[in-house]
Amino acid sequence: MTKKRKVCSPSQEGQRDLCSELKEFIVSENAKCVKEIKDSNDRRLAALEESLSFAMDSLSAVSERQRSADTDIIQLRKETAELRHRLQQLELGEDQQQQQKRLTCLVFSGPTLQAQTRREDAASLIRSLVQHHLKHTLDSSQVKAMIRLKNGKILIEFTSAAPGSDRDILFRTKSKLRGSGLFIAKSLTPRRQAIFADLLQLKREGLICSVFTRSGDILVCRSRDSAPIRIADPEAVRQLAGAGAPGRRARRHAQLPEGEGQGNRSQRQGESSESMRERCCPRHLLRAMCWRPR
């Protein structure tokens, strides 16, 4: 028995053709969309690669500039260090020249001079005190100049500092003026005066044993048995303070008796500077402080 063929109506045939056309349209549109998306991605990838290439070139240029800047900074630091060293050498040389000119000068101070407002009266007072306590008559021909400083002290410049001169005799025998109200000191440059003041503070703190001058140079002894050390600049003072602080404080703490009270410590702190110098300085250092320039 043969199977009968199904006959489609004209409307069904039209729907089938429409579905076929719709499928073909969808396939073609999908292909177009895929192609457009691929082309768009390719363009974006190319733009990204170009941006990355530009960024790498810029980064390389920045790195090169950074290396050049680092090289310039290193060179500038070297030049700055050299200039600083040269400036320090110039300052030291100028300070040395000024100090050489001050070797023939002495500074007179004390409450007796503060009361004298006229330079002539101060000069007369100095002559009388020197004559009375030192048994020495000043030679007017050896006095080159006399200047009253702003702080009330008197600076006298002598013609010579050789052994036997008035300047030499006054400085060697100045200890005999104790109790007269007149003090004699060497004339130091402002730079050396500041260094000497800082070292005196270190001595009061117990970080060094003694400080004195010799021919304008500032010398320091860390302990009673140590050799004198020449201090030429503030940096040496800072190094000396940093190096001496821990050991000195430890020794002072170890030497302190366990039962010592606050009253005994205050009494020890009230000792005169002269007794402290005699206790800390050995004899050869005391002789060095009275050294005569040649």
Side-chain angles (χ1 to χ4, degrees), residues 89-266:
Q89 294 299 321
L90 290 175
E91 290 178 350
L92 288 175
E94 183 181 0
D95 182 75
Q96 184 67 26
Q97 292 179 1
Q98 292 181 2
Q99 188 59 47
Q100 288 295 328
K101 296 178 181 179
R102 292 172 178 258
L103 290 179
T104 57
C105 300
L106 290 177
V107 177
F108 295 79
S109 61
T112 55
L113 289 180
Q114 296 292 337
Q116 304 297 330
T117 57
R118 298 176 65 251
R119 187 178 61 177
E120 293 77 8
D121 296 339
S124 177
L125 179 61
I126 291 174
R127 290 179 182 276
S128 62
L129 290 177
V130 169
Q131 176 67 33
H132 178 71
H133 292 275
L134 304 185
K135 309 302 181 185
H136 178 74
T137 302
L138 292 178
D139 185 3
S140 300
S141 62
Q142 295 190 28
V143 178
K144 186 176 181 180
M146 178 181 294
I147 303 173
R148 177 177 285 276
L149 305 177
K150 293 181 179 180
N151 54 10
K153 298 180 180 180
I154 300 295
L155 185 144
I156 298 181
E157 181 180 1
F158 296 88
T159 57
S160 174
S165 62
D166 281 356
R167 190 268 183 201
D168 175 62
I169 294 174
L170 289 177
F171 191 76
R172 283 191 298 105
T173 59
K174 64 178 182 177
S175 59
K176 297 180 180 180
L177 292 172
R178 188 176 304 165
S180 65
L182 181 66
F183 304 97
I184 300 177
K186 292 181 179 179
S187 177
L188 299 177
T189 61
R191 184 173 181 272
R192 302 193 184 202
Q193 289 178 6
I195 294 175
F196 193 80
D198 293 339
L199 292 173
L200 286 178
Q201 180 63 30
L202 294 183
K203 180 183 177 182
R204 286 190 289 268
E205 295 175 359
L207 300 180
I208 59 176
C209 181
S210 61
V211 53
F212 56 95
T213 61
R214 181 187 299 171
S215 299
D217 294 333
I218 302 175
L219 302 176
V220 164
C221 291
R222 292 184 177 180
S223 62
R224 296 178 58 184
D225 300 328
S226 63
I229 302 174
R230 181 174 175 268
I231 304 298
D233 50 33
E235 181 62 27
V237 178
R238 288 190 289 269
Q239 293 178 359
L240 187 64
R248 175 65 66 175
R249 290 172 182 172
R251 287 193 296 270
R252 290 179 61 186
H253 181 72
Q255 294 175 359
L256 185 65
E258 295 181 357
E260 185 177 16
Q262 184 67 27
N264 293 335
R265 285 195 294 268
S266 301

Side-chain angles (χ1 to χ4, degrees), residues 65-78:
R65 291 179 181 177
Q66 182 66 34
R67 285 193 294 269
S68 178
D70 292 340
T71 303
D72 294 340
I73 290 174
I74 294 174
Q75 184 65 25
L76 288 175
R77 286 179 177 176
K78 291 181 179 179

Side-chain angles (χ1 to χ4, degrees), residues 12-42:
Q12 292 178 348
E13 289 292 338
Q15 291 179 356
R16 184 179 298 174
D17 295 338
L18 182 61
C19 289
S20 299
E21 292 177 359
L22 183 59
K23 289 180 180 179
E24 292 177 358
F25 176 77
I26 292 174
V27 170
S28 63
E29 290 297 324
N30 285 338
K32 291 180 181 179
C33 290
V34 170
K35 186 176 182 304
E36 290 179 357
I37 292 173
K38 184 178 180 181
D39 294 342
S40 177
N41 289 337
D42 292 340

